[in-house]
Amino acid sequence: MVDIINKIKDAVMSGQADQIQALVKEALAADVKASDILKEGFIAVMDEVGEKMSKDEIFIPEVLAAAKTMQTGLDLLKPYLVESESEYTGKVVIGSVKGDVHDIGKNMVCMMFEGAGFEVIDLGVNVPDEEFVENVKNQQPQILALSSLYTPTMLAMKDVIDALTDAGLRDKVKIIVGGAPVTQLFADDIGADGYAPDASKAVLKAKELLGN
Amino acid sequence: MLIIGENINSSSKKILQALQEQDAAFLLNLAKEQVAAGANMIDINAAKRLEHEKGDLEWLVKVIQAEMEVPICLDCTEAEALEAGLKVHKGKAMINSVCKDRVRLETILPLAAQYKASVVALAMSEENIPSTVEERLQISLELIKTIREYGVPDTDIYIDPLVFPVAVDTDNAQKTLTLIREIKGTFPQVRTIIGLSNISYGLPKRDLINAVFLSIARYAGLDAALLNPFEKKVLTLLKATELLLGNDEYCRNYLVSYRKRELA
């Protein structure tokens, strides 16, 4: 069992999307539990991917290839995962705030969250305040992640937080903010719960806020 | 080729601090060093200074042009601040930038016409950064039509077809090259410009990727680039590129650089 899990890990880490389904099948055929494949084969590796990325040991294309591989493997694995034994960590609503149309960083954050077992609801870019409020209300996520890459749109993050306060929903969700011009100081100023300097830290911060 | 030095930008902490302290000597020196490294225009950006942007741009133009005859690229989207810079600018300035946004076009293009400045137009709108070649070409053609209506000649229009990182999609360099060829093929007098460094975002040894991309973009018809002139590899490779494309008569510039030991 250890052997096949290691093969899966290696395939994810090196982004071998074309091999991953065969390896997952092999593991299932050898009676490895689907939840173990998920936990040890996928989630643990994506944690490692995030860590290596923040140390510049691996680079964006390699992270994308790893995420694609995990996704391909997960497509096959999903039907085998019994709801109760899957590694469900929480739900995240995420988007680039109003006026901001950048999505590369935000998409990386999405993938890191998915890799960590979160359910991710991606609202896309240039998202109006009301849409964030609506989704917090209807989707009831534990985490709301706001992105802004562009100085003039940073204040739109505060608008979202204010809108949630006005709607009486502020205490229903933990809010993390990020993007190139964003700092811890700014996050504190606008009343966010957390700040993350990069995609892998975003997941760590979210887990910290959720107390696990 | 028009090389615009990008280093005086308020998104850098050092520059922001120099602007706050009105450190003229530091900023002037940075402009001089960029010119010495091969820039023939200097971009200035004070956007992070918010309400001080207008005063800063005017001040920077004066500070730089008091000692050098270099044209300035005013990196600003607020008409009032732009005009303050344009008013004191000597020679032909560049406005950086407009995009497909009605307010920006209506407030900035009259300034381009009035001050005979060239203008950079990004192939995007305020709401949308299109990723496909077709959309970006469509926006580029619309922008050229609109800018012409304000009486700006084709040779003063610089279309930026946008550059996205190859780290995210390895087709991204080809897309920009295709757009440069399409725009130059349709409007040979209209200029093309790129912000170079985005191509290498997320990858190691960025100067290598930047240098080769500038060379192949030049071959595709690129007229201008906003870049960091202190990336020596970029400027060195460009000299050889100009030579090979027949833009350096008797190989003069190449050999001058060689004798100055700039081709290391």
Side-chain angles (χ1 to χ4, degrees):
Chain A
M1 164 183 162
V2 174
D3 196 38
I4 183 67
I5 289 281
N6 280 338
K7 277 188 191 168
I8 290 175
K9 276 182 166 171
D10 287 347
V12 174
M13 188 49 102
S14 55
Q16 308 295 329
D18 53 340
Q19 291 170 24
I20 192 69
Q21 292 211 338
L23 290 171
V24 171
K25 277 181 198 158
E26 193 184 323
L28 290 169
D31 282 335
V32 181
K33 277 205 313 206
S35 60
D36 287 342
I37 300 176
L38 179 72
K39 230 182 326 190
E40 289 164 42
F42 294 161
I43 293 177
V45 182
M46 289 312 283
D47 282 348
E48 203 180 321
V49 164
E51 203 185 307
K52 285 192 170 178
M53 182 182 70
S54 59
K55 287 194 270 183
D56 270 357
E57 284 172 14
I58 62 169
F59 298 93
I60 291 175
E62 293 164 314
V63 177
L64 296 177
K68 166 96 166 98
T69 305
M70 186 200 70
Q71 211 65 54
T72 308
L74 211 52
D75 286 346
L76 181 81
L77 195 63
K78 259 182 192 154
Y80 297 91
L81 286 166
V82 185
E83 193 65 37
S84 60
E85 62 172 3
S86 75
E87 189 76 355
Y88 179 77
T89 326
K91 196 194 265 191
V92 190
V93 166
I94 183 168
S96 296
V97 293
K98 195 171 59 193
D100 205 305
V101 289
H102 297 91
D103 67 356
I104 293 170
K106 172 192 63 70
N107 291 347
M108 300 271 296
V109 175
C110 288
M111 280 184 298
M112 297 312 292
F113 269 114
E114 276 166 8
F118 280 83
E119 180 186 351
V120 176
I121 296 162
D122 180 7
L123 303 181
V125 298
N126 192 21
V127 179
D129 305 345
E130 314 85 70
E131 201 175 325
F132 282 115
V133 173
E134 223 168 86
N135 277 278
V136 167
K137 194 173 164 189
N138 300 334
Q139 301 286 349
Q140 302 181 342
Q142 290 87 352
I143 298 285
L144 174 65
L146 304 174
S147 167
S148 164
L149 189 81
Y150 186 49
T151 320
T153 61
M154 275 165 74
L155 284 174
M157 293 179 154
K158 184 174 187 308
D159 296 342
V160 175
I161 297 177
D162 292 347
L164 282 167
T165 308
D166 292 345
L169 295 165
R170 178 63 191 89
D171 56 348
K172 303 281 182 220
V173 70
K174 297 285 184 199
I175 300 174
I176 58 173
V177 295
V182 180
T183 59
Q184 181 68 56
L185 189 68
F186 177 79
D188 295 341
D189 265 3
I190 63 170
D193 296 301
Y195 155 75
D198 63 47
S200 60
K201 303 271 170 41
V203 174
L204 293 178
K205 177 55 76 177
K207 285 183 171 173
E208 179 195 314
L209 289 171
L210 298 179
N212 56 12
Chain B
M1 165 157 220
L2 178 61
I3 300 295
I4 308 164
E6 69 182 5
N7 301 44
I8 301 183
N9 192 309
S10 57
S11 64
S12 140
K13 266 188 197 149
K14 245 187 177 164
I15 303 300
L16 185 62
Q17 197 189 342
L19 287 171
Q20 276 158 356
E21 295 167 0
Q22 303 277 285
D23 187 347
F26 172 79
L27 293 162
L28 177 63
N29 188 51
L30 184 53
K32 279 184 181 166
E33 282 179 351
Q34 290 185 82
V35 170
N40 28 44
M41 187 182 261
I42 298 294
D43 186 86
I44 59 173
N45 172 305
K48 273 235 172 177
R49 291 265 293 147
L50 306 172
E51 71 268 29
H52 301 295
E53 185 182 20
K54 183 180 165 188
D56 280 3
L57 288 184
E58 184 184 338
W59 175 76
L60 266 173
V61 170
K62 283 189 193 158
V63 164
I64 294 169
Q65 288 198 326
E67 290 209 24
M68 284 194 295
E69 267 186 44
V70 68
I72 308 278
C73 177
L74 296 158
D75 191 345
C76 167
T77 55
E78 300 294 330
E80 218 183 299
L82 270 172
E83 182 154 29
L86 289 167
K87 263 190 187 151
V88 295
H89 186 277
K90 289 181 275 186
K92 196 174 191 63
M94 179 180 266
I95 294 171
N96 179 18
S97 59
V98 295
C99 66
K100 194 187 155 192
D101 171 74
R102 195 179 55 82
V103 177
R104 250 163 97 177
L105 291 167
E106 282 177 3
T107 55
I108 292 175
L109 291 178
L111 294 174
Q114 187 188 337
Y115 291 92
K116 301 206 175 336
S118 52
V119 60
V120 177
L122 311 176
M124 57 179 268
S125 65
E126 290 268 281
E127 301 82 37
N128 178 26
I129 301 185
S131 64
T132 69
V133 167
E134 291 71 24
E135 279 177 287
R136 276 142 76 187
L137 185 60
Q138 179 61 33
I139 293 182
S140 300
L141 302 185
E142 285 171 30
L143 282 167
I144 291 168
K145 191 165 159 276
T146 308
I147 299 170
R148 279 175 163 177
E149 283 168 9
Y150 283 83
V152 177
D154 281 7
T155 49
D156 284 348
I157 303 174
Y158 285 78
I159 298 292
D160 182 341
L162 306 184
V163 172
F164 297 118
V166 281
V168 177
D169 180 347
T170 40
D171 285 338
N172 277 338
Q174 280 289 7
K175 284 184 181 174
T176 302
L177 297 174
T178 302
L179 281 157
I180 292 170
R181 282 190 215 101
E182 288 281 341
I183 292 161
K184 294 302 284 186
T186 318
F187 298 103
Q189 298 299 311
V190 167
R191 313 292 193 194
T192 50
I193 184 169
I194 56 171
L196 182 62
S197 65
N198 209 27
I199 195 71
S200 58
Y201 174 81
L203 288 169
K205 303 271 178 229
R206 295 183 64 174
D207 60 341
L208 176 61
I209 298 167
N210 294 345
V212 175
F213 187 55
L214 186 63
S215 286
I216 59 181
R218 181 64 172 150
Y219 178 53
L222 184 72
D223 297 293
L226 188 72
L227 54 78
N228 174 2
F230 302 139
E231 284 189 350
K232 200 150 189 257
K233 208 170 262 164
V234 173
L235 277 295
T236 309
L237 238 69
L238 182 62
K239 293 222 171 72
T241 303
E242 295 291 28
L243 169 70
L244 294 169
L245 292 178
N247 298 329
D248 186 6
E249 213 180 4
Y250 297 107
C251 312
R252 219 165 252 150
N253 293 333
Y254 184 83
L255 291 172
V256 165
S257 296
Y258 166 73
R259 296 214 166 83
K260 285 196 203 157
R261 298 175 186 277
E262 288 172 353
L263 299 182

